């Protein structure tokens, strides 16, 4: 039972990482776009990332996105 529990925990952890990859990539790409001066495009990517983070209830990332949007 112990090994099965560890396997399930690992699987859940991997699923969570996969689910958060896209919005994290959107957030990072928006940072690059902002640095290039492409503010409208950066805003679009941040808004998409924010929407995903809100859907998942990821408060830290929600705050990061909101702060980045405020800085545009």
């Amino acid at each position: 039972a112990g090994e099965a529990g560890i396997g399930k925990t690992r699987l859940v952890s991997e699923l969570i990482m996969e689910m958060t990859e896209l919005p994290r990539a959107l957030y990072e790409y928006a940072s690059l776009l902002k640095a290039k001066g492409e503010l409208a495009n950066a805003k679009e990517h941040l808004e998409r990332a924010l929407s995903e983070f809100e859907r998942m209830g990821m408060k830290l990332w929600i705050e990061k996105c909101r702060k980045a949007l405020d800085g545009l």
Side-chain angles (χ1 to χ4, degrees):
E3 285 187 34
I6 291 171
K8 287 181 185 177
T9 300
R10 184 174 296 136
L11 178 62
V12 169
S13 179
E14 289 173 6
L15 288 171
I16 289 170
M17 287 300 293
E18 286 179 20
M19 290 173 54
T20 63
E21 280 183 24
L22 175 62
R24 286 185 296 146
L26 289 167
Y27 175 87
E28 294 300 332
Y29 188 54
S31 297
L32 294 173
L33 291 169
K34 179 182 176 187
K36 289 177 57 178
E38 297 182 30
L39 302 184
N41 205 0
K43 181 179 179 184
E44 179 183 327
H45 284 76
L46 283 170
E47 288 173 343
R48 284 185 59 204
L50 176 60
S51 176
E52 288 298 310
F53 289 131
E54 287 175 335
R55 185 178 62 79
M56 291 183 273
M58 299 181 71
K59 293 178 182 180
L60 175 66
W61 283 99
I62 291 168
E63 279 301 310
K64 288 177 79 163
C65 283
R66 287 182 179 156
K67 185 175 180 180
L69 282 165
D70 288 344
L72 292 179

